[in-house]
Structure formats: C-alpha cells, structure tokens
C-alpha cells in the first residue's frame, strides 16, 4: 500500500517550465474576471491552489508579470519565456498559497472547481454545474487559522 502524498506535474506548452505539486489542492477556483479572460484568451481561468510549501519549480526559469487584481491585491504571474504559457501565480490576497493553471496538468480527470468567482463577469452562455458555488465577486477572505 502506497501512503505517499499525491504528486502532480504542471508543464508549460513547450515543456521547458515545470512544477511539482505535492498533496491535494487546498482549493480549485474558476475565475470569470475580465483580467483572467484577457490573460488566458478564454472566457475564464481555473486556478488550483496549493500551500506554498507543496509547490516546487523542477525545470526552467520563469519570467514574471505583476498586476493589480479586481480584488484589490496584486498578483505576480510566472510564465514561460519561450512559449508564453502562464504556469503559476502568487496572489497577495492568499500569501500562503500558489495558484497553478489547471490546464497545465493536462489531466482530464482533474477534480472540478468547487467555486466560481467574479461571476458578475461570466459570459451569459456559460452554465455552471450545480455543484459549483458561484460568487458575484471574490468571497470574503476568511481569518487565518492558528
């Protein structure tokens, strides 16, 4: 019996930038904000949040881009300088977490998001499964646990 924590690998489009994520995600969130739409070139993004200590760069060197977010906190994005894939980000709103692009795991069996944020910007033709809790904006940030 193998009791080792799950290990997942996120890889950019060209394969030169790679992350290892150990354990289960702390949260999976779908974001409809206009900034995520512009960043992905799609109608939303899906972020897989892991505790910072569970994420490690295993290959490549990333370029960064920092911008304010709709929630009022800056976010630093890390992307491949070769292919441009945005692989992970560091949200100031969640300083103990790293967000990783769900698509970078290239796993059709990856768990679905439990929430959708910035649903006020959702394209009206997108229908979310009933199991996903939708928030017009970001939900109120919970107090840190001791």
């Amino acid at each position: 019996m193998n009791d080792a924590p799950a290990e997942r690998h996120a890889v950019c489009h060209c394969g030169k930038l790679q992350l290892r994520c150990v354990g289960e995600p702390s949260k999976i969130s779908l974001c409809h904000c206009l900034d995520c739409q512009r960043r992905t070139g799609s109608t939303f993004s899906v972020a897989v949040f892991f505790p910072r200590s569970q994420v490690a760069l295993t290959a490549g060197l990333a370029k960064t881009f920092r911008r304010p977010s709709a929630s009022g906190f800056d976010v630093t994005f890390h992307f491949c300088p070769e292919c441009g894939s945005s692989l992970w980000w560091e949200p100031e709103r969640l300083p103990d977490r790293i967000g990783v692009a769900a698509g970078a795991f290239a796993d059709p069996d990856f768990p679905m998001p439990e929430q959708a944020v910035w649903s006020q910007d959702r394209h009206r033709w997108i229908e979310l499964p009933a199991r996903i809790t939708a928030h017009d904006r970001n939900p109120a940030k919970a107090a840190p646990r001791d």
Side-chain angles (χ1 to χ4, degrees):
M1 179 151 86
N2 186 357
D3 290 333
E7 185 171 295
R8 294 180 172 97
H9 298 269
V11 180
C12 70
H13 186 73
C14 72
K16 292 183 179 177
L17 191 60
Q18 300 179 19
L19 291 179
R20 180 180 62 245
C21 303
V22 177
E24 293 305 314
S26 57
K27 176 172 54 170
I28 304 173
S29 185
L30 186 153
C31 184
H32 296 282
C33 82
L34 300 176
D35 288 328
C36 281
Q37 290 181 37
R38 288 184 184 105
R39 178 179 61 81
T40 64
S42 185
T43 56
F44 55 83
S45 73
V46 178
V48 182
F49 290 96
F50 288 93
R52 185 176 285 276
S53 63
Q54 292 177 214
V55 178
L57 180 65
T58 58
L61 294 173
K63 292 269 190 178
T64 61
F65 175 71
R66 184 180 178 95
R67 68 160 170 81
S69 72
S71 64
F73 294 86
D74 283 0
V75 180
T76 301
F77 293 91
H78 299 262
F79 62 94
C80 177
E82 186 70 26
C83 68
S85 297
S86 176
L87 197 57
W88 80 93
W89 47 96
E90 298 175 87
E92 280 186 0
R93 183 173 187 265
L94 303 168
D96 59 333
R97 301 285 184 250
I98 297 287
V100 182
F105 293 106
D107 178 1
D109 292 322
F110 203 88
M112 72 185 294
E114 59 255 15
Q115 71 173 9
V117 298
W118 293 96
S119 292
Q120 68 185 23
D121 295 332
R122 175 182 56 85
H123 285 237
R124 302 303 164 231
W125 50 265
I126 294 175
E127 294 183 34
L128 297 174
R131 296 185 330 201
I132 295 179
T133 303
H135 303 278
D136 281 346
R137 300 179 64 138
N138 263 337
K141 186 176 176 212
R145 294 182 200 159
D146 290 330

